[in-house]
Amino acid sequence: QVQLVESGGGSVQAGGSLRLSCAASGYTSNMAWFRQAPGKEREGVAAFLTGGPSTYYAGSVKGRFTISRDNAKNTVYLQMNSLKPEDTAMYYCAAAHRVLWPLASYAYDYWGQGTQVTVSS
């Protein structure tokens, strides 16, 4: 069983930046970030797959968000720049040993509790 703990959320004005961190209790090959806004479905934001390695981004964040990983620390990061009000959501870290669809929530076995990101206009 892998436990994931997110940190780094908060409130920021539009155009600002935040960096999310997700520390895993053990090694998993693939890690990702998802988000869910009130009344909306959970959506994949970015994924880091070690086979490659390869990164994947949702179209809405491409060019603004960057996912990275520190294997020594079993930690994945999400650098979020040029934040917009529509980025406001609860952000979740997810992990899995094998992933076929990098931005599909059903592909992941382990989930963190989430960290809130609020972007004001």
Side-chain angles (χ1 to χ4, degrees), residues 59 64 75 113:
R64 300 188 297 123
T75 299
Q113 295 299 308

Side-chain angles (χ1 to χ4, degrees), residues 15 28 54 56-57 68 70 89 92 94 97:
T28 55
S54 299
Y56 300 84
Y57 297 93
S68 61
D70 186 334
Y92 297 91
H97 297 296

Side-chain angles (χ1 to χ4, degrees), residues 33-47:
W33 288 96
F34 289 77
R35 67 185 181 186
Q36 187 167 20
K40 295 187 177 182
E41 293 186 355
R42 188 170 297 188
E43 64 169 339
V45 175

Side-chain angles (χ1 to χ4, degrees), residues 14-73:
S17 298
L18 284 172
R19 188 193 193 204
L20 306 183
S21 299
C22 172
S25 61
Y27 178 79
T28 55
S29 300
N30 310 295
M31 299 183 76
W33 288 96
F34 289 77
R35 67 185 181 186
Q36 187 167 20
K40 295 187 177 182
E41 293 186 355
R42 188 170 297 188
E43 64 169 339
V45 175
F48 188 106
L49 275 56
T50 55
S54 299
T55 56
Y56 300 84
Y57 297 93
S60 59
V61 307
K62 192 172 293 184
R64 300 188 297 123
F65 291 11
T66 303
I67 189 169
S68 61
R69 178 168 181 162
D70 186 334
N71 287 327
K73 297 180 179 180

